[in-house]
Amino acid sequence: MKATDNEIELLQGLAKDDKKAVETIYKNNYNTIQALIINNNGTADDAKDVFQEAMIVLYQKVKTGSFELNCQIKTYLYSVCRRLWLKRLLQQNKILSSNHSHEDLVIVDDDLEEHEKRDTEFTMMEKAMNSLGEPCKSLLEAFYLQKRQMQDIASSFGYTNADNAKNQKYKCLMRLKKLFFTQYKTES
Amino acid sequence: MDDIKLLEAVELYISGQMSPDDRVYFEQLRKTNPEIDQLVVEHTFFLQQMNRFDETKAFKSLLNDTHTHLAETGAIASPTVKGKAKVIQLYNRYKRTAAIAASIAGITALTMSSLIWYMSPGKQQKNELEYLSGQLKDIKDQTIIQKQEINSIKQNIATPVINYTTGGTAFLINAKGLVVTNAHVIKDARNIVVQNNEGKDLKVKVIYNDIARDVAILKIEDTAFKAPTALPYAIKKTEPEVAETVYTLGFPRNDMVYGEGYMAAKTGFNGDTLTCQIAIAANPGNSGGPIFNRNGEVIGILSAKQVSAEGAVFATQSKYIHQAIAALQSDTGYKKVKLPTSSSIKSLDRTQQVKKISEFIYMVKVN
């Protein structure tokens, strides 16, 4: 079954970080997933974790471009959550009960592989950022993420001029890149 | 210096802000110089990683907010919702039954009063009754006058102002108003209040005090206390890891002060196993303050510092809060006390975490 117009709208909203869309998708699907996890040796906290991870998988999928979802959002999220939970259970040497004749499932292997790669990259960047320390972290965030002007950054961080701030930014960036790429090279 | 200029050029090139002439020149340079080409590729990848990191972080935080919001409004079934929302659900469920019960009660009451009116003695006794009620009215008037007099006397005696002399920090450990602090903070206290972030004093009662572990639990018993639906942070049961970064919030002066440091050792002063050592800036008044890890989970209660060593601060491990609650539960009144076990601020950055936490940290004032 193809996604309906209404669902396409929701996915477009999700790609644009629209709060309302996120809330609607969350509201429509969370309870089913919680039931799945709780009926299979999990807690409500596990359900929250797994569901939010699945939301990130979906988010990444719509974010990378075309809104090609060849099934309903519900089916997709269910399939992803089921796989994620199955994996966690396997790690704990438990098995998923087999009465999951819950409508249709879709194959999500590729999406999950992609997600895993991104997740490790996310952790690497997080580690790198955290070990970078202040004020480097804030300086880089101000320049690259908040896209603030060098002049403005210089005055709010207390540098005497924009050139000094630029110098400092360069040093910080080199350190961050080194921290990130050392992990990246050892991982891959 | 050259490197800086080169990077600047690369960034302009990647973002497409380079002027057309420069662009042609730069592309030529890129073709002939493999090092520059490599730098462009690498930097594009890196910037992409950074953006994606920021995006994912923001999205994670949005998901958490959505979860809390939906759970609070009852739109999703989440067991973290307790208290108010549940009462409303129950009310909605039993609204119909309650309405029927109320009307039956009303009809019964009407029937009964009409029966009593019908059965009660006749008119001949009415005068006597009126006379009696007249007397009662006199007494009532007198009472009112006396009350007014007492009140005016009361107003003349000013309520004594309590001067609080010592203090510390405390933090909320459940939504029902239990706060935890150090036992030494409230030692020899005659009056104890906690002050919230609006500067309001709230009355508290000591319900548990363990001097050996230096843990005290107080209950806020004040009508001005607004119970939150849930706490944003968790209380950890397990031991913290050495080298974990930690932070604290406390009241060494009248405003809340933030401090940052790291876990230094799993044991405390002279190898004391009840506490752990933390390298953090702390001053008198920080006692009783929570120690958070980067996930926003409480790992300890800041309790003392070593005079002879710089920056050596000790904290009671958070598992002793769990033990204190277990001890409290054997006491009949507090059987249902539960500590928060999951942190909803895990993926937020430090500033956002502190913003969410700060309303649950109190200043303890003692005299």
Side-chain angles (χ1 to χ4, degrees):
Chain A
M1 195 194 284
K2 279 257 180 196
T4 62
D5 289 353
N6 185 19
E7 294 221 308
I8 289 170
E9 223 167 86
L10 277 179
L11 291 174
Q12 279 170 345
L14 179 65
K16 284 184 219 141
D17 296 275
D18 176 42
K19 251 185 165 173
K20 198 84 210 156
V22 174
E23 198 174 299
T24 312
I25 301 177
Y26 211 109
K27 194 169 66 190
N28 292 345
N29 295 287
Y30 181 75
N31 285 352
T32 322
I33 304 304
Q34 184 170 271
L36 167 78
I37 307 285
I38 287 180
N39 289 334
N40 284 288
N41 285 321
T43 64
D45 275 346
D46 293 330
K48 187 179 156 193
D49 274 2
V50 168
F51 182 71
Q52 295 200 351
E53 201 170 339
M55 282 293 281
I56 292 171
V57 176
L58 182 65
Y59 177 69
Q60 278 164 349
K61 195 178 166 69
V62 295
K63 204 83 184 170
T64 44
S66 54
F67 300 103
E68 248 182 79
L69 190 62
N70 293 318
C71 59
Q72 286 181 300
I73 297 179
K74 190 173 73 180
T75 316
Y76 185 78
L77 283 176
Y78 188 86
S79 307
V80 173
C81 286
R82 202 178 154 272
R83 279 301 296 271
L84 287 173
W85 187 236
L86 192 65
K87 209 172 157 196
R88 285 205 202 179
L89 286 180
L90 279 176
Q91 278 163 1
Q92 299 165 22
N93 288 324
K94 287 176 192 157
I95 24 162
L96 196 67
S97 75
S98 55
N99 57 336
H100 45 72
S101 52
H102 180 280
E103 56 213 68
D104 46 341
L105 289 168
V106 283
I107 295 158
V108 289
D109 296 17
D110 289 351
D111 292 348
L112 281 179
E113 210 168 285
E114 175 80 347
H115 167 69
E116 236 165 66
K117 192 176 142 253
R118 297 222 164 139
D119 202 41
T120 34
E121 284 167 358
F122 179 86
T123 326
M124 280 180 208
M125 186 59 87
E126 195 176 34
K127 255 195 202 160
M129 278 279 192
N130 284 337
S131 45
L132 188 63
E134 293 295 346
C136 261
K137 197 177 157 211
S138 305
L139 192 64
L140 292 181
E141 278 175 355
F143 185 79
Y144 287 104
L145 303 175
Q146 295 150 20
K147 312 258 185 258
R148 284 165 62 190
Q149 292 299 314
M150 249 327 163
Q151 191 58 50
D152 171 35
I153 293 176
S155 62
S156 68
F157 281 80
Y159 293 102
T160 45
N161 58 47
D163 271 342
N164 281 346
K166 207 183 280 178
N167 255 326
Q168 192 54 44
K169 184 217 92 186
Y170 178 77
K171 283 184 198 157
C172 292
L173 183 72
M174 286 303 124
R175 265 183 58 210
L176 181 66
K177 273 179 122 173
K178 201 178 161 200
L179 283 166
F180 178 78
F181 282 114
T182 2
Q183 289 181 74
Y184 198 81
K185 273 158 201 160
T186 48
E187 283 279 330
S188 53
Chain B
M1 201 56 202
D2 258 351
D3 284 347
I4 302 183
K5 285 218 174 99
L6 179 63
L7 184 82
E8 214 175 319
V10 170
E11 280 180 352
L12 277 179
Y13 176 74
I14 293 173
S15 64
Q17 286 169 339
M18 204 173 238
S19 68
D21 288 350
D22 286 352
R23 196 174 181 83
V24 172
Y25 174 73
F26 189 84
E27 269 168 3
Q28 195 57 42
L29 200 67
R30 213 186 137 181
K31 267 182 204 151
T32 48
N33 190 335
E35 265 177 46
I36 292 182
D37 192 43
Q38 167 66 22
L39 183 64
V40 172
V41 173
E42 184 201 273
H43 203 64
T44 313
F45 173 75
F46 187 74
L47 289 183
Q48 207 182 23
Q49 287 295 333
M50 266 217 295
N51 275 324
R52 205 179 277 157
F53 170 73
D54 187 52
E55 213 173 77
T56 313
K57 213 170 84 169
F59 187 66
K60 279 186 177 176
S61 143
L62 174 64
L63 284 178
N64 257 321
D65 282 352
T66 309
H67 188 96
T68 319
H69 173 71
L70 289 176
E72 269 169 12
T73 51
I76 54 170
S78 175
T80 44
V81 205
K82 280 193 183 109
K84 216 186 208 167
K86 200 169 181 184
V87 173
I88 293 171
Q89 278 175 5
L90 283 177
Y91 172 72
N92 284 338
R93 190 180 302 164
Y94 295 114
K95 208 155 50 179
R96 235 176 96 85
T97 327
I100 295 168
S103 42
I104 292 173
I107 293 164
T108 319
L110 279 175
T111 321
M112 287 309 282
S113 60
S114 61
L115 268 176
I116 290 168
W117 178 78
Y118 186 72
M119 301 288 197
S120 57
K123 269 187 179 158
Q124 63 272 34
Q125 283 171 340
K126 209 185 173 188
N127 281 339
E128 219 174 318
L129 280 175
E130 268 173 4
Y131 173 64
L132 261 180
S133 75
Q135 264 195 341
L136 278 175
K137 199 175 170 291
D138 283 347
I139 296 169
K140 210 171 158 192
D141 286 346
Q142 265 180 11
T143 325
I144 290 170
I145 293 164
Q146 279 172 351
K147 230 184 195 166
Q148 279 168 349
E149 275 176 10
I150 291 170
N151 269 339
S152 68
I153 294 166
K154 249 191 190 168
Q155 274 166 7
N156 288 334
I157 312 167
T159 43
V161 178
I162 302 172
N163 281 321
Y164 295 102
T165 47
T166 56
T169 306
F171 57 100
L172 215 55
I173 52 168
N174 85 341
K176 302 266 167 65
L178 293 192
V179 295
V180 73
T181 187
N182 280 139
H184 77 254
V185 170
I186 56 159
K187 198 178 158 228
D188 303 328
R190 274 176 298 164
N191 293 298
I192 310 171
V193 289
V194 295
Q195 183 183 319
N196 65 11
N197 65 340
E198 286 161 9
K200 213 173 165 61
D201 285 349
L202 302 171
K203 272 182 244 148
V204 293
K205 192 173 92 177
V206 180
I207 57 170
Y208 180 84
N209 198 357
D210 181 348
I211 291 156
R213 295 193 177 86
D214 206 4
V215 175
I217 295 174
L218 318 174
K219 181 161 175 35
I220 302 179
E221 293 192 319
D222 202 303
T223 45
F225 173 67
K226 286 182 226 91
T229 42
L231 294 184
Y233 47 79
I235 314 278
K236 267 209 126 176
K237 252 184 192 165
T238 48
E239 281 190 357
E241 293 296 329
V242 172
E244 242 186 307
T245 52
V246 296
Y247 65 97
T248 187
L249 288 164
F251 290 96
R253 55 197 192 93
N254 254 338
D255 289 309
M256 194 182 289
V257 174
Y258 170 84
E260 212 174 77
Y262 54 87
M263 262 295 294
K266 278 194 180 176
T267 55
F269 185 62
N270 282 343
D272 176 13
T273 51
L274 297 178
T275 57
C276 51
Q277 187 179 333
I278 288 166
I280 207 164
N283 290 301
N286 266 119
S287 265
I291 306 273
F292 291 100
N293 65 11
R294 47 187 276 265
N295 291 337
E297 297 162 320
V298 176
I299 59 157
I301 313 167
L302 204 159
S303 57
K305 92 172 176 185
Q306 192 175 343
V307 188
S308 57
E310 194 57 43
V313 169
F314 303 105
T316 306
Q317 294 180 19
S318 57
K319 63 177 178 193
Y320 295 110
I321 304 177
H322 283 275
Q323 281 195 5
I325 293 297
L328 199 60
Q329 278 166 339
S330 52
D331 174 14
T332 47
Y334 297 98
K335 259 186 189 138
K336 283 182 185 159
V337 175
K338 266 200 189 125
L339 297 180
T341 50
S342 76
S343 157
S344 66
I345 50 174
K346 213 186 250 177
S347 52
L348 300 185
D349 67 25
R350 194 62 61 82
T351 332
Q352 295 296 326
Q353 285 188 352
V354 169
K355 208 180 267 175
K356 297 228 160 159
I357 290 167
S358 58
E359 65 177 293
F360 305 109
I361 315 283
Y362 298 89
M363 184 198 291
V364 185
K365 300 201 285 191
V366 171
N367 92 327

